[in-house]
């Protein structure tokens, strides 16, 4: 084979479109590395909502000491009493609380390992050091303990990741099975309907696996089923929408949003207060973060504080439906216009 023939074969094998797609893959690869390592390589608590229960003078002194901890790990505030502190932890308003009894030398730390074992252990480490410096001792009470079958409280995160994967893979298969763009609104509607059916089945399957089959998470199967269906459909609909707008590149954009940005910012491996500011800010607005928050609330916090996260997931689902149908309709009009001209 001559050099000219070889170069011609290369041009035929690697088209400009394929070259751009390969460059996109490399970009996703590097963004994946930067995102995961950037978010998770050096977790440290910052402004963790934290309660203090003590007589008035002692409470304010404790708040001042906690505010002066190096690096500002805690955002302390005075709480009326132990019952209120427990209620606020279960409502996920605060992540822990210190109960101070000036008449004794032992204080009590309330934590919730169900919200993340790493965060609970970190709070215990900080407060133990602080109490020791005051010649006091600390006992820890877990208000919402993680299941013994849920190592480091990660099962909620992995469950949601599985649902997300099902959503964008199903949407990708539906989108590329008959070309790169939905041909018409009816085909787009059918794809959304199929996606909804897959989401219902996948949601139920995930709920049964983590509950009755493995016993990894407490909480009702029905609640997890509903969450799983919503997460799967929201991610899938968003993928269909992006694919409808940008063609096959849209699938890469969906992976960028859900996998590259969404997973490390979801508060799975490390709860949100331990993530750097950028990931802490975007996590609750993306499907993996919203889903993980709801899953943990179902499992360990009596289903409290889920409205905001469910609205986020619903918004992704609704936007995905609207954009998918609009993109299909616009595509159909452009096709009809082109046919009319010719």
């Amino acid at each position: 084979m001559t050099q000219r023939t070889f170069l011609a074969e290369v041009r035929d094998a690697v088209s400009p479109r394929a070259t751009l797609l390969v460059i996109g893959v490399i970009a996703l690869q590097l963004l994946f590395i930067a995102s995961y390592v950037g978010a998770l390589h050096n977790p440290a608590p910052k402004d963790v909502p934290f309660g203090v229960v003590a007589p008035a003078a002692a409470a304010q002194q404790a708040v001042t000491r906690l505010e002066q901890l190096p690096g500002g790990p805690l955002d302390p505030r005075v709480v009326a009493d132990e019952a209120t502190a427990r209620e606020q932890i279960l409502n996920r308003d605060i992540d822990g609380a210190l109960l101070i009894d000036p008449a004794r030398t032992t204080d009590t730390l309330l934590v919730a390992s169900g919200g993340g074992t790493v965060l609970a252990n970190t709070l215990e480490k900080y407060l133990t050091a602080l109490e020791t410096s005051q010649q006091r001792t600390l006992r820890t009470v877990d208000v919402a303990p993680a299941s013994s079958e849920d190592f480091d409280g990660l099962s909620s995160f992995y469950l949601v990741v599985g649902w997300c994967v099902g959503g964008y893979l199903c949407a990708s298969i539906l989108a590329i099975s008959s070309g790169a763009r939905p041909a018409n609104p009816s085909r787009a509607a059918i794809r959304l309907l199929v996606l909804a059916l897959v989401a219902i089945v996948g949601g139920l399957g995930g709920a049964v696996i983590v509950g009755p089959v493995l016993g990894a998470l407490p909480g009702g199967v029905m609640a997890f089923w509903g969450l799983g269906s919503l997460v799967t459909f929201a991610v899938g609909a968003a993928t269909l929408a992006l694919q409808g707008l940008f063609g096959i590149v849209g699938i890469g954009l969906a992976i960028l949003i859900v996998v590259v940005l969404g997973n490390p910012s979801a508060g799975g491996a490390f709860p949100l207060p331990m993530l750097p500011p950028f990931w802490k800010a975007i996590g609750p607005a993306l499907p993996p973060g919203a889903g993980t928050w709801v899953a943990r609330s179902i499992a360990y916090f009596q289903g409290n504080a889920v409205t905001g996260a469910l609205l986020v997931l619903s918004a992704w689902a609704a936007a995905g439906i609207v954009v998918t149908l609009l993109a299909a309709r616009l595509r159909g009009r452009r096709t009809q216009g082109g046919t009319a001209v010719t």
Side-chain angles (χ1 to χ4, degrees):
M1 181 183 294
T2 64
Q3 181 178 2
R4 180 174 298 177
T5 303
F6 174 75
L7 292 175
E9 290 288 341
V10 170
R11 285 195 297 271
D12 291 339
V14 185
S15 65
R17 182 170 180 268
T19 301
L20 290 175
L21 290 175
V22 170
I23 292 173
V25 169
I26 295 173
L28 276 177
Q29 178 188 53
L30 298 180
L31 286 170
F32 182 97
I33 295 170
S35 180
Y36 278 70
V37 176
L40 307 177
H41 77 288
N42 186 28
K46 181 68 175 178
D47 295 329
V48 178
F50 191 80
V52 175
V53 178
Q60 192 53 54
Q61 291 174 1
V63 167
T64 300
R65 287 196 299 269
L66 294 172
E67 288 176 336
Q68 294 174 348
L69 287 173
L74 303 180
D75 177 17
R77 72 285 307 267
V78 176
V79 177
D81 50 38
E82 179 178 351
T84 302
R86 287 174 175 269
E87 181 181 1
Q88 289 189 9
I89 291 173
L90 290 177
N91 286 333
R92 309 196 74 177
D93 296 324
I94 59 177
D95 291 304
L98 180 64
L99 312 180
I100 299 175
D101 185 355
R104 300 184 178 182
T105 60
T106 298
D107 296 327
T108 301
L109 171 65
L110 303 181
V111 296
S113 61
T117 304
V118 174
L119 179 58
N121 291 340
T122 300
L123 290 177
E124 186 174 20
K125 181 186 72 173
Y126 273 96
L127 271 297
T128 298
L130 181 62
E131 291 285 287
T132 300
S133 70
Q134 301 294 317
Q135 288 77 50
R136 300 179 67 82
T137 57
L138 186 74
R139 75 181 186 101
T140 301
V141 175
D142 201 337
V143 176
S147 167
S148 59
E149 301 296 322
D150 182 14
F151 178 74
D152 273 356
L154 291 172
S155 297
S156 299
F157 171 61
Y158 291 137
L159 173 64
V160 171
V161 167
W163 282 327
C164 289
V165 170
Y168 67 72
L169 285 182
C170 177
S172 300
I173 291 170
L174 291 172
I176 66 177
S177 61
S178 300
R181 294 177 185 266
N184 52 55
S186 63
R187 181 174 296 171
I190 291 171
R191 290 175 180 175
L192 287 168
L193 178 59
V194 172
L195 177 64
L197 295 174
V198 170
I200 292 171
V201 174
L204 176 59
V208 170
I209 289 172
V210 300
V213 175
L214 297 179
L217 290 174
V221 170
M222 295 298 294
F224 279 121
W225 183 7
L227 172 63
S229 300
L230 179 57
V231 169
T232 304
F233 184 81
V235 171
T239 303
L240 285 176
L242 290 169
Q243 189 274 337
L245 290 174
F246 303 106
I248 196 170
V249 174
I251 297 174
L253 292 176
I255 294 174
L256 172 66
I257 293 171
V258 176
V259 179
V260 175
L261 295 176
N263 285 354
S265 66
F270 301 106
L272 289 175
M274 300 190 71
L275 296 179
F278 173 75
W279 285 271
K280 180 180 178 180
I282 68 172
L286 299 177
T292 299
W293 179 272
V294 176
R296 282 179 170 159
S297 290
I298 292 171
Y300 300 116
F301 296 93
Q302 303 171 3
N304 293 328
V306 299
T307 302
L310 289 176
L311 287 175
V312 168
L313 292 170
S314 299
W316 280 95
I321 293 171
V322 171
V323 174
T324 297
L325 295 176
L326 286 177
R329 177 168 294 184
L330 291 174
R331 172 70 175 175
R333 287 179 178 176
R334 287 198 298 268
T335 302
Q336 292 174 359
T339 303
V341 171
T342 54

